Amino acid sequence: MAVTPLRERLYRAYWEFFEKAERERRWSVFDDIPWEKVNPGATDDLALCAETFCCVELYLPDYLTGAMGVVRSSFGQSWFQANWGYEESKHALALGEYLVRSGKRTRDQLHDLHKRIFSKRWQLGYATGLEGTCYGLIQEMATFLIYVKHRAEAAREGDECLRTIYDYIARDEIAHAHFYGDALRVFLDEDRERGLDALTHVVQTFQMPGVDLVPDYDARILKMRAAGVDSGVFLQKAFLPILKYAGVTRDEIRGARARLKARAAPAPVTSAR
Ligand SMILES: [Fe+2]
Ligand SMILES: [Fe+2]
């Protein structure tokens, strides 16, 4: 049987992603968030975490610039980024409104936050669509995990408004992770070794967006960890599911790690004799 060309398979992956998004996953910041169920008595930590997620979501213009730069010539991937940008734009919008409507921040403080965020630029540290796909997969899976954890925190604090926001966002993030996972599977079928090496390289160099950019990041991350998202959780709940979804074994990752190490090692000095 003829192998479906890369472009057609990526197009199909986007078509399926978009159909599901349109039919099952659309939500409205106007109609679907129970704004009246915000709990103004919730702790300041709950608002601080929501503000931190809002900060990370606010680098949207930079994420789009970075991603479009590496996938522009691939229809499936660039149309995904366009739709992705629309979905992500609602995340920062809903979280920002939550901060104001809960009374935890004023509108002036929110605009000041926007200004501070936009004064620094995030840059994608990878140069190819394949590496960008691996980065997106890990980042979306980790983000999904974080929102699920904090959805439980919001429920525990009796904030039905924030719980609902986290619920919609988490559903979006896992759908994004699955698109990147589907795209990675296509790349792996094209050239398995290249795909494995890219995934391993990105895993080894991965950094969540916002690190070193979001104001007071270190203090914020302590509060996030208190909700139970640390590197052990990341391994079990994000990394291993990623491998499973992409159909990659841990042995294959070990093999790729050895290849990358050998490639990075300086060439042996040979005798002149
Ligand atoms: Fe998001
Ligand atoms: Fe996302």
Side-chain angles (χ1 to χ4, degrees), residues 57 84 87-88 91-92 139-140 143 147 169 172-173 176:
E57 299 275 3
W84 176 91
E87 293 185 7
E88 295 291 351
H91 300 177
Q139 182 267 323
E140 296 285 354
T143 309
Y147 280 122
I169 296 181
D172 286 351
E173 310 296 23
H176 300 159

Side-chain angles (χ1 to χ4, degrees), residues 127-241:
T128 66
L130 170 56
E131 287 181 339
T133 296
C134 297
Y135 182 80
L137 172 56
I138 299 169
Q139 182 267 323
E140 296 285 354
M141 197 61 119
T143 309
F144 163 71
L145 198 62
I146 289 168
Y147 280 122
V148 167
K149 283 272 177 191
H150 285 263
R151 181 177 61 189
E153 287 291 304
R156 210 172 45 79
E157 294 220 20
D159 198 317
E160 181 57 17
C161 173
L162 188 59
R163 192 204 66 78
T164 307
I165 292 173
Y166 283 158
D167 192 44
Y168 283 122
I169 296 181
R171 283 172 47 197
D172 286 351
E173 310 296 23
I174 194 67
H176 300 159
H178 285 162
F179 173 82
Y180 285 122
D182 292 341
L184 177 59
R185 281 207 298 244
V186 173
F187 284 117
L188 284 165
D189 286 348
E190 282 285 304
D191 185 338
R192 190 146 192 97
E193 195 168 299
R194 181 170 172 260
L196 289 169
D197 289 357
L199 177 62
T200 306
H201 170 65
V202 175
V203 167
Q204 288 175 336
T205 51
F206 182 80
Q207 200 176 41
M208 280 299 273
V211 176
D212 301 333
L213 289 177
V214 169
D216 315 316
Y217 189 84
D218 290 344
R220 290 172 185 277
I221 200 80
L222 290 177
K223 297 287 179 197
M224 310 237 301
R225 285 197 186 125
V229 182
D230 58 19
S231 52
V233 172
F234 178 78
L235 177 75
Q236 284 302 320
K237 300 260 176 81
F239 182 58
L240 297 181

